[in-house]
Amino acid sequence: MLRLAASALVVLIAPPLYLMLDLAVVGRLGGAALAALAVATLVLAIISTQLTFLAYGTTARSAREFGAGRRSAAVREGVQASWIALGAGALIIAVAYPLAPPMMRGLVPDAVVAADAAGWLRIAVFGVPLILLAMAGNGWMRGVQDTRRPVIYVVSGLAVSAGLCVLLVHGLAGAPDLGMNGSAVANLVGQAITGLAFVGRLAREAAADDSIARRPQWPVIRAQLVMARDLILRSASFQICFLSAAAVAARCGVAQVAAHQLVLQLWEFIALLLDSLAIAAQQLVGAALGAGTLAAARRDAKRAVVGSLAVSGLLAVVFAAGVSLIPQIFTDDAAILQATRTPWWFLVAMLPIAGIVFALDGILLGAGDVAFLRTATLLGALGGFLPLIWLSLAFDWGLAGIWTGLLVFMLTRLAATAWRVRSGKWLRAGTEPVGA
């Protein structure tokens, strides 16, 4: 489980680390360029992250086939997910390219910043099919528990992007001086390296096994899209909740919104760590159910919960002890430091809860029980998080109200997923997920 989690963590954490480098490089062009890059990368992230079902859904289906001893069928899931990636990517390019200028003008009042952001997005959007192909590749390779190659593919692509970003943005070492657009070109090249590496591996697997269909298989694609529907709705609910929280925090004052974003960024970083453990649980549980070994699936589920709780509990202790020191790494503003105290203790309290919730999510994703996860997430969002966020605005509850909403959201998901796992309804042996 730790080996699988370590691989997933590298793949999850590498893009945010690259984004920080990208922001630092472009930031030297000035505030307008930095603002344009921030808006453009946010739009690109929102576009692409709605399609994470290509990774998570494909993992669930591939892991079951792999556990049943049908590696060729597991790889077939990757082939069909790749066709979806190409189709969705082409559609996104067709829509986003012409709409980039008016979209950015609607988001950014400054004409220069909006124009720069639109120019960046018009280049970078051609990398979306490659991003989606990499998601599909990660999905089926996680399913067959191939942990080494995805790390190599992702890190190699981002390493090239990092080098090119420095050269092209500032025209160093004889490279053309492309300014901010150099960042987009560097992104595109790196995504091409990663995406094509996954496609190449898929092609080699298919060439070695004539039973793997290379053309679209509509029954498989339809089954994947059913799972996609539920995962997209689940992902969208997260986006709406956190965007709403940011909007309300922005109305609480400068120090409050800065403190909210600071603690939220730490929360999102921790979420990547816990998500890597959840992905490992998803792989192992899916394989055990595919093999028909329900006892092994239960054991893997228990280990996932215990391991994730141990990690999150340790993090809670560290963050509780570092309440005065850790925030000073990011700012020395006294007002912001004071404002961080409120969300900070909510973060500490939520960490053990989050450790269990992420593990339970991974177990149910491995079982393909995504319809239930969709319902549980929507229940937590509509019944807890969003009402408390907007009540915080109406009654001036500030950051305490916002983070109470997030705590209720986590507790609702904990209650729902714990009940589902204890019920055993996710324990369905064979190659078809629970929701099929």
Side-chain angles (χ1 to χ4, degrees):
M1 185 171 290
L2 290 175
R3 175 175 58 83
L4 296 174
S7 170
L9 180 60
V10 174
V11 171
L12 290 172
I13 208 171
L17 291 177
Y18 169 75
L19 178 59
M20 286 192 284
L21 170 68
D22 198 8
L23 290 168
V25 172
V26 172
R28 295 187 178 274
L29 297 175
L34 184 60
L37 180 64
V39 174
T41 53
L42 175 62
V43 171
L44 185 66
I46 290 173
I47 290 171
S48 57
T49 55
Q50 299 310 311
L51 300 174
T52 52
F53 72 86
L54 288 166
Y56 292 94
T58 304
T59 298
R61 295 180 61 85
S62 293
R64 279 182 174 266
E65 298 286 6
F66 180 70
R70 299 171 54 186
R71 183 185 174 91
S72 60
V75 177
R76 177 198 64 186
E77 296 290 339
V79 173
Q80 302 310 310
S82 296
W83 281 115
I84 297 174
L86 287 173
L91 180 61
I92 288 171
I93 291 173
V95 173
Y97 187 86
L99 291 180
M103 185 192 317
M104 292 306 173
R105 286 195 297 269
L107 291 171
V108 183
D110 187 291
V112 174
V113 173
D116 286 346
W120 189 96
L121 185 61
R122 278 188 151 184
I123 296 170
V125 75
F126 285 97
V128 169
L130 299 160
I131 295 172
L132 302 184
L133 284 169
M135 287 184 187
N138 266 302
W140 76 263
M141 293 181 83
R142 286 172 183 168
V144 301
Q145 299 184 16
D146 187 340
T147 60
R148 183 175 59 88
R149 289 188 182 92
V151 172
I152 294 172
Y153 298 162
V154 170
V155 172
S156 297
L158 290 176
V160 172
S161 286
L164 283 177
C165 184
V166 175
L167 296 176
L168 296 177
V169 170
H170 297 290
L172 303 177
D177 187 351
L178 301 180
M180 182 178 160
N181 285 343
S183 163
V185 172
N187 270 269
L188 185 57
V189 172
Q191 288 155 4
I193 291 170
T194 299
L196 293 176
F198 278 110
V199 171
R201 184 62 203 171
L202 191 61
R204 286 190 291 274
E205 290 270 354
D209 189 342
D210 291 336
S211 68
I212 300 174
R214 291 138 175 100
R215 295 182 178 181
Q217 291 187 311
W218 299 113
V220 178
I221 289 176
R222 278 194 296 270
Q224 290 186 351
L225 290 176
V226 168
M227 188 174 285
R229 174 200 63 202
D230 295 325
L231 289 173
I232 288 173
L233 285 171
R234 180 172 178 265
S235 177
S237 68
F238 285 125
Q239 296 282 354
I240 292 168
C241 283
F242 285 105
L243 286 173
S244 297
V248 174
R251 288 162 173 79
C252 296
V254 174
Q256 285 71 25
V257 71
H260 171 75
Q261 288 302 122
L262 190 157
V263 180
L264 188 62
Q265 287 299 316
L266 290 171
W267 162 257
E268 290 178 355
F269 185 82
I270 293 166
L272 294 177
L273 173 59
L274 297 179
D275 200 25
S276 69
L277 295 167
I279 289 170
Q282 182 185 3
Q283 294 170 262
L284 294 172
V285 167
L289 293 174
T293 52
L294 301 186
R298 289 192 187 92
R299 284 196 302 272
D300 289 333
K302 183 177 180 180
R303 288 169 182 159
V305 172
V306 171
S308 188
L309 178 59
V311 170
S312 60
L314 178 61
L315 287 171
V317 172
V318 170
F319 277 82
V323 61
S324 299
L325 297 177
I326 297 175
Q328 295 183 45
I329 298 172
F330 304 96
T331 182
D332 58 1
D333 187 292
I336 296 174
L337 290 172
Q338 180 62 34
T340 59
R341 289 299 180 107
T342 297
W344 195 272
W345 290 113
F346 277 97
L347 174 67
V348 171
M350 282 194 310
L351 279 172
I353 299 168
I356 301 173
V357 169
F358 274 72
L360 295 174
D361 276 359
I363 293 163
L364 295 178
L365 279 170
D369 200 3
V370 294
F372 179 83
L373 283 174
R374 172 209 64 206
T375 303
T377 304
L378 289 172
L379 177 65
L382 299 176
F385 201 170
L386 285 174
L388 281 167
I389 287 171
W390 295 113
L391 285 171
S392 297
L393 178 62
F395 294 100
D396 196 24
W397 292 341
L399 295 184
I402 293 171
W403 282 78
T404 298
L406 180 55
L407 178 59
V408 171
F409 181 53
M410 296 300 298
L411 287 170
T412 303
R413 291 171 60 199
L414 173 64
T417 53
W419 170 81
R420 185 68 167 183
V421 170
R422 286 181 62 86
S423 74
K425 293 181 179 179
W426 57 280
L427 285 166
R428 175 172 168 175
T431 58
E432 287 298 328
V434 172

